[in-house]
Amino acid sequence: MFDDIVLIIASIGILLASFRLWVEKDREKMVYARLHITGVIDIACIVILLVFKQYLLALTYLVLVPFSAHAIANADFFDELKKQ
């Protein structure tokens, strides 16, 4: 019962964040806003993995996702410097 409730709440969070990601208009520094929105989705996915007792996978996801977000933000930042 508890597993089902957590799964439903996390799924609703993923759907709302995905909708927000879809309808957001392009503007300055939009990459950082999109990374923030996907961070919400990442945390919901980690909660789902913990509910399904996939602890090692959740820990791996928790460690690797910030590194990939940093790499994307860093690449965008230096790309913006080259444009100026």
Side-chain angles (χ1 to χ4, degrees):
M1 180 68 177
F2 177 72
D3 295 350
D4 296 333
I5 292 171
V6 171
L7 185 61
I8 289 170
I9 291 172
S11 299
I12 290 171
I14 289 171
L15 289 174
L16 290 174
S18 298
F19 177 74
R20 179 71 178 167
L21 190 63
W22 184 264
V23 299
E24 192 68 35
K25 301 279 190 261
D26 284 339
R27 60 178 188 258
E28 186 178 351
K29 305 295 183 199
M30 192 60 212
V31 169
Y32 303 109
R34 286 191 174 135
L35 284 174
H36 178 74
I37 294 169
T38 56
V40 172
I41 297 170
D42 293 336
I43 294 301
C45 290
I46 290 170
V47 168
I48 289 171
L49 288 171
L50 289 173
V51 166
F52 287 136
K53 296 177 179 51
Q54 300 292 325
Y55 304 119
L56 187 59
L57 190 58
L59 179 66
T60 304
Y61 197 73
L62 181 66
V63 170
L64 291 179
V65 167
F67 284 114
S68 63
H70 174 73
I72 293 168
N74 197 21
D76 181 66
F77 177 75
F78 284 113
D79 188 46
E80 291 293 324
L81 285 179
K82 288 181 183 177
K83 288 181 183 176
Q84 293 177 353

